[in-house]
Amino acid sequence: MRKHTPKSRKAKIQNRLSEVNEIELLEAWIESGKPESGSNPLSLDPLPHKGPVGRLTDCSFSRYAGCDRFSQLPVSKKTKDGLIQCKYKTMTDIQRASIPHSLCGRDILGAAKTGSGKTLAFVIPVLEKLYKARWGPEDGVGCIIMSPTRELAGQLFEVLKSVGKHHGFSAGLLIGGRKDVDAEKEHVNVLNILVCTPGRLLQHMDETPNFDCSQLQVLVLDEADRILDVGFKKDLNAIISQLPKHRQTLLFSATQTKSVQDLARLSLKDPEYLGVHEESDTATPNRLQQTAMLVPLDKKLDMLWSFIKAHLNSRILVFLSSCKQVKFVFETFKKLRPGIPLKCLHGRMKQDRRMGIYSQFCEQRSVLFSTDVASRGLDFNKAVDWVVQVDCPEDCAAYIHRVGRTARYLSGGRSVLFVMPSEMKMLEKLEEKKIPLRVIKANEKRIQSVSGLLASLLVKYPELQHLAQRAFVTYLKSIHKQRDKEIFDVTKLPIDEYSASLGLPMTPKIRFLKQKLKGKTVSEALSLIPENTSNENLLEFLVKKPDIGKSDVEELEEEDLLLAKETQEAGEKINSKGDDMLATRVTKKKKLKINVHRPVGTRVVFDEEGNTLPPLARLAATGSDADSVQLNKEKVNQRYAELRKNLKVADKEDKDLDKKRRKEKRIKEKMKYKRGREDKEEEDEDVSGSDAEIPRGRVDKKTKIYFDSADEDGERTADKAKEGIAADSISLAEQEELALKLLNSMHS
Ligand SMILES: Nc1ncnc2c1ncn2[C@@H]1O[C@H](COP(=O)(O)OP(=O)(O)OP(=O)(O)O)[C@@H](O)[C@H]1O
């Protein structure tokens, strides 16, 4: 906001007088034309653009409710100057509807489509409220504007700074992930407007000496439904309990809460509910073209890759459900050089980096892979051409916010949602919410398969293999955790095919699914297993199968202990039922002893005495209980035969894998010097924040691979490729050769 230049005493007095006069006039003007409580000013005709404004010759005032120009509003010259400089002239519907009410000091619940200008609808009243109260540095915190994400808070802060640049208020951006919290603590008490995320505000409330919000005039919640959601519940309740009840409260969102409980939590006083697009045919912007495509889980990456290759001149925002997936897709696609810069954004990145990526994506044609951290509020310079939802959003509100990153204000935009066969119910739900979706079929001929290339990348870069495993598990976990079980059902997913589509040579173990099986009878357990799950993977449900390198002994032992406990509990529970039961039960003590010494890479199953059994014994009934086991005998025999066959293959695979690992190690060492240099340049600060995700000892600092610096984007690498510089990536011939070897090793 404005920097004060020294002024003479006389000029200061004059300035003060003119401000006092202006405020008196504004207050009289506002009082004279207050819109009726419960009315929507949008229903009134706009004023003629060239008519007189403010105090008229007969000492009455011009009408402001229903006007459509900022210049016709009873707001200060300073605010008007700021708006003019930002080139804002005509108000949007939500601004026309809510500003006349909020200027009167009323509480507001504003709902309007994404990209419809809700930010100015609260920034203007905030500036005016403090201006009319002649708020100064000595008055402390007069307004708090809260946002659910740091990027959005940063964006709101920028709007506040530009529109409020002629005012003399001090404002601060308080968001997590910044190192300068101590410096913030020194200044926070003299700031008038705080733009913040709930966590950081609470940190100041808890830690900053004499932090005082007792004089607060206005509280704003942007994306109010999100902040009122369970995720922020504790923080928000703690914050609200420290704020004065006598204040103005403004809540805005594209998907607004109407819950009486929520409103009571915030002590709203007869709020004006202004849902300006409720009468509209659609809940999403009119200029947004929305499509949905049926894409099976194991074809998602092929489809995404093909989509990117077909839209190299666009700015594309891609949503995935977890940061592990974002990292995996970003890292692998980057190595495959699609011919467009790639970027990634997720909550585990350091704040400076996040902000950097956000601004770069605003400026440059590129693809941004992101989690839902970018789904709400972000404006990206109104220039996103496509929103691609690779993973289904958790509900309709999340869908609306994600697609709302495009088609903002007057610009158009397009979106595509990949829906899996098991998620078709989502389409019905979206239709019920007035979201017009055209379901289209992908042109099979134009789909380029990428899983073979990913497999060869994973061979060349073992770090990526680990990333792929994590992406695989977190995706399944995210589906497992979804609340809407009508749409999300992890047991319906083609698990093995999905794993192969990520380029993984073997399906990783899925611990949380094992948890799901805990305490289930055999028939219950079998019913939980997806139809197309191979027997190999079935074993993963039931027995331990180490699939990580020998350097991970510690991790393995830890997991074994856990597994032993789980298996024991499962066995006990099943035995106590006395009917359908698994044949083996493990005692904690014996398992512990055996696990410590057994060689890595072997499958071990135990009987009731703690003796080892071959894996198939898990499925056999014990002699004494055989009669009571209700499993179809034929089915069991068939299972045995299949398992026997697959185990042979699995053993061979294990040996080959070991061979392959040794070979990879050799290749890795050869490439070390070359890669070491480039990796150093690319080093992503992000990784340092998430060390726990990478096993210690596997990736040392020099060979970090998680990076998103601009110099490693697809554009540069594509240029390098054009110049014939092989650099770090592998040539097509090499990829083919590696893929062939991998396939051979899997099938021989
Ligand atoms: N009156 C206006 N005239 C011109 N442009 C405007 C006006 N109001 C807002 N805009 C522009 O419209 C874009 C969207 O505004 P804003 O970010 O406030 O939307 P929003 O409703 O808050 O969206 P979301 O629901 O996604 O948070 C911004 O680029 C903003 O500068």
Side-chain angles (χ1 to χ4, degrees):
M1 304 220 171
R2 197 170 65 156
K3 280 189 186 148
H4 285 285
T5 45
K7 276 184 186 161
S8 70
R9 204 163 159 259
K10 204 174 155 195
K12 271 187 192 165
I13 293 172
Q14 227 162 20
N15 192 29
R16 198 168 157 256
L17 270 178
S18 69
E19 274 186 17
V20 170
N21 289 337
E22 187 188 25
I23 290 166
E24 265 177 23
L25 181 120
L26 289 173
E27 279 173 344
W29 187 0
I30 289 169
E31 190 57 36
S32 75
K34 274 185 172 180
E36 243 178 71
S37 210
S39 70
N40 187 339
L42 264 185
S43 60
L44 301 170
D45 288 334
L47 298 181
H49 289 170
K50 292 209 169 133
V53 167
R55 200 193 297 267
L56 306 175
T57 43
D58 61 354
C59 285
S60 65
F61 290 92
S62 62
R63 172 164 65 87
Y64 61 91
C67 67
D68 65 353
R69 296 264 170 147
F70 288 115
S71 56
Q72 297 167 331
L73 286 174
V75 297
S76 61
K77 184 171 178 318
K78 289 177 178 178
T79 300
K80 281 185 180 165
D81 288 348
L83 289 165
I84 290 168
Q85 280 178 2
C86 296
K87 302 195 168 48
Y88 295 125
K89 278 188 190 160
T90 312
M91 284 189 272
T92 64
D93 284 356
I94 184 65
Q95 292 157 4
R96 277 184 71 196
S98 67
I99 293 176
H101 282 292
S102 45
L103 286 177
C104 303
R106 294 173 183 160
D107 288 351
I108 304 284
L109 269 169
K113 291 181 186 179
T114 52
S116 61
K118 293 184 286 293
T119 312
L120 283 184
F122 58 76
V123 163
I124 295 171
V126 161
L127 291 170
E128 288 304 297
K129 178 99 178 179
L130 296 189
Y131 178 70
K132 283 182 281 173
R134 299 194 52 76
W135 210 257
E138 66 288 351
D139 296 311
V141 180
C143 170
I144 292 174
I145 300 177
M146 253 191 271
S147 135
T149 65
R150 299 167 187 178
E151 286 73 15
L152 180 55
Q155 185 180 292
L156 301 178
F157 187 63
E158 290 307 315
V159 176
L160 178 75
K161 269 197 320 190
S162 48
V163 175
K165 73 193 269 192
H166 298 284
H167 284 280
F169 309 125
S170 53
L173 176 65
L174 311 180
I175 54 175
R178 294 169 127 205
K179 290 183 203 120
D180 47 2
V181 65
D182 289 334
E184 251 176 47
K185 283 178 186 170
E186 279 173 29
H187 299 293
V188 78
N189 272 326
V190 294
L191 295 175
N192 300 141
I193 304 174
L194 308 180
V195 182
C196 55
T197 48
R200 188 61 148 219
L201 177 63
L202 196 58
Q203 188 182 354
H204 281 294
M205 286 180 158
D206 288 346
E207 295 174 8
T208 305
N210 309 320
F211 182 69
D212 181 18
C213 294
S214 60
Q215 299 306 309
L216 189 81
Q217 303 292 300
V218 200
L219 171 69
V220 179
L221 304 192
D222 193 16
E223 307 297 342
D225 56 328
R226 178 80 189 93
I227 298 183
L228 288 160
D229 199 9
V230 276
F232 289 105
K233 193 172 178 177
K234 260 190 182 167
D235 283 2
L236 189 69
N237 287 351
I239 291 168
I240 297 291
S241 69
Q242 298 188 49
L243 300 180
K245 283 212 166 107
H246 184 74
R247 56 161 199 262
Q248 186 177 12
T249 306
L250 310 175
L251 311 185
F252 283 88
S253 180
T255 47
Q256 190 58 280
T257 179
K258 285 185 199 167
S259 140
V260 179
Q261 251 181 341
D262 283 343
L263 308 186
R265 270 165 80 200
L266 292 167
S267 332
L268 294 197
K269 297 172 292 294
D270 304 323
E272 298 294 332
Y273 182 76
L274 297 155
V276 299
H277 294 121
E278 277 195 336
E279 259 77 86
S280 168
D281 291 342
T282 63
T284 43
N286 298 340
R287 290 182 179 80
L288 175 63
Q289 292 174 37
Q290 302 167 75
T291 45
M293 248 196 287
L294 191 64
V295 186
L297 179 57
D298 52 313
K299 295 281 178 273
K300 278 186 179 182
L301 290 187
D302 293 347
M303 188 63 83
L304 178 61
W305 175 257
S306 311
F307 182 91
I308 292 173
K309 294 291 284 179
H311 296 88
L312 294 180
N313 281 320
S314 308
R315 196 176 315 219
I316 306 168
L317 179 56
V318 178
F319 285 106
L320 293 141
S321 62
S322 72
C323 83
K324 302 276 174 7
Q325 278 171 286
V326 166
K327 278 181 184 178
F328 173 71
V329 178
F330 169 66
E331 294 298 342
T332 51
F333 278 25
K334 193 172 63 175
K335 293 220 178 322
L336 296 175
R337 300 173 168 173
I340 179 170
L342 303 181
K343 313 204 175 301
C344 74
L345 190 71
H346 54 77
R348 299 232 170 187
M349 293 165 75
K350 281 201 172 174
Q351 194 48 37
D352 296 349
R353 196 88 212 115
R354 271 169 71 165
M355 286 297 198
I357 295 291
Y358 165 65
S359 350
Q360 282 167 25
F361 186 62
C362 289
E363 302 307 323
Q364 213 187 3
R365 157 194 79 91
S366 51
V367 180
L368 177 64
F369 301 106
S370 178
T371 56
D372 274 331
V373 76
S375 68
R376 280 184 178 250
L378 298 186
D379 197 46
F380 296 117
N381 260 358
K382 306 195 240 338
V384 175
D385 301 300
W386 277 97
V387 170
V388 182
Q389 302 191 56
V390 173
D391 294 328
C392 193
E394 63 171 329
D395 52 26
C396 296
Y399 175 93
I400 291 172
H401 287 282
R402 282 176 171 190
V403 294
R405 295 320 97 214
T406 184
R408 298 182 69 73
Y409 189 52
L410 300 179
S411 49
R414 286 186 281 183
S415 71
V416 59
L417 168 71
F418 294 177
V419 259
M420 298 192 290
S422 57
E423 293 167 344
M424 292 301 280
K425 190 90 187 151
M426 185 71 185
L427 298 182
E428 280 172 39
K429 296 201 174 188
L430 292 172
E431 203 183 327
E432 281 164 20
K433 290 277 176 201
K434 299 202 291 189
I435 295 166
L437 262 174
R438 198 161 52 91
V439 182
I440 55 165
K441 259 188 98 178
N443 183 349
E444 297 283 335
K445 282 186 203 147
R446 296 190 64 187
I447 299 174
Q448 301 177 27
S449 174
V450 83
S451 46
L453 297 174
L454 294 179
S456 51
L457 272 185
L458 263 51
V459 173
K460 186 171 163 73
Y461 301 100
E463 314 89 274
L464 289 184
Q465 185 156 343
H466 184 71
L467 210 52
Q469 285 169 347
R470 308 288 294 168
F472 171 88
V473 175
T474 49
Y475 173 73
L476 295 182
K477 239 183 212 170
S478 73
I479 296 290
H480 181 57
K481 281 184 187 163
Q482 291 284 3
R483 269 176 288 179
D484 192 340
K485 297 295 175 204
E486 267 192 316
I487 299 173
F488 303 101
D489 184 350
V490 75
T491 64
K492 286 192 183 147
L493 302 181
I495 288 172
D496 290 338
E497 289 84 344
Y498 174 47
S499 159
S501 75
L502 301 183
L504 281 166
M506 289 156 78
T507 306
K509 60 182 176 286
I510 317 159
R511 178 172 300 288
F512 68 94
L513 280 183
K514 276 186 213 135
Q515 298 264 7
K516 205 173 171 174
L517 292 177
K518 205 158 72 176
K520 299 268 191 270
T521 64
V522 170
S523 49
E524 279 169 349
L526 284 175
S527 72
L528 280 175
I529 296 164
E531 293 271 298
N532 44 2
T533 299
S534 72
N535 294 321
E536 177 62 28
N537 201 38
L538 177 66
L539 278 177
E540 290 296 341
F541 283 92
L542 304 170
V543 293
K544 172 79 187 114
K545 181 180 177 195
D547 58 355
I548 46 180
K550 290 185 183 180
S551 58
D552 295 292
V553 175
E554 265 181 42
E555 187 186 331
L556 191 63
E557 282 176 3
E558 217 182 277
E559 296 213 323
D560 278 349
L561 291 179
L562 244 160
L563 186 77
K565 194 165 169 264
E566 278 171 20
T567 319
Q568 184 193 5
E569 283 168 8
E572 272 167 8
K573 183 143 187 196
I574 287 165
N575 276 346
S576 72
K577 286 196 167 188
D579 50 15
D580 300 351
M581 60 182 84
L582 294 173
T584 53
R585 188 158 65 86
V586 188
T587 60
K588 194 176 172 187
K589 243 184 181 172
K590 285 182 182 168
K591 173 84 179 173
L592 198 143
K593 201 172 140 200
I594 292 161
N595 267 320
V596 171
H597 299 295
R598 77 181 168 83
V600 176
T602 55
R603 290 190 186 83
V604 183
V605 184
F606 303 89
D607 67 11
E608 291 198 30
E609 266 70 48
N611 304 315
T612 55
L613 284 174
L616 289 179
R618 292 292 298 236
L619 285 179
T622 56
S624 58
D625 296 329
D627 291 342
S628 63
V629 173
Q630 289 161 13
L631 271 178
N632 179 331
K633 212 176 169 185
E634 231 178 73
K635 203 172 171 183
V636 173
N637 285 340
Q638 202 184 341
R639 264 288 196 246
Y640 267 109
E642 281 172 18
L643 287 174
R644 221 176 281 127
K645 198 171 131 206
N646 285 325
L647 278 171
K648 267 190 192 169
V649 178
D651 282 346
K652 175 91 173 58
E653 261 177 24
D654 283 348
K655 277 184 198 153
D656 288 347
L657 198 75
D658 195 43
K659 231 191 212 168
K660 195 187 76 194
R661 277 203 186 112
R662 274 184 272 135
K663 196 171 170 193
E664 276 167 23
K665 206 176 160 191
R666 280 204 306 277
I667 298 175
K668 205 176 148 193
E669 270 167 10
K670 268 192 194 171
M671 308 267 310
K672 198 173 173 185
Y673 173 69
K674 219 164 148 192
R675 286 192 26 225
R677 256 176 46 211
E678 189 151 336
D679 282 353
K680 207 168 174 220
E681 283 168 18
E682 295 168 349
E683 204 171 68
D684 184 359
E685 289 161 302
D686 166 30
V687 180
S688 59
S690 55
D691 278 345
E693 293 156 27
I694 308 156
R696 265 165 290 143
R698 266 194 167 188
V699 184
D700 67 16
K701 216 179 171 209
K702 274 185 186 164
T703 56
K704 271 181 192 171
I705 53 128
Y706 308 121
F707 32 80
D708 41 40
S709 71
D711 57 3
E712 183 50 29
D713 60 33
E715 196 168 53
R716 286 257 187 115
T717 48
D719 289 343
K720 275 187 198 171
K722 272 186 219 152
E723 292 159 28
I725 302 170
D728 169 44
S729 77
I730 51 177
S731 71
L732 198 61
E734 260 182 305
Q735 285 172 8
E736 279 172 358
E737 193 192 353
L738 283 167
L740 208 66
K741 276 183 197 159
L742 182 66
L743 281 173
N744 284 340
S745 71
M746 284 169 74
H747 297 295
S748 59

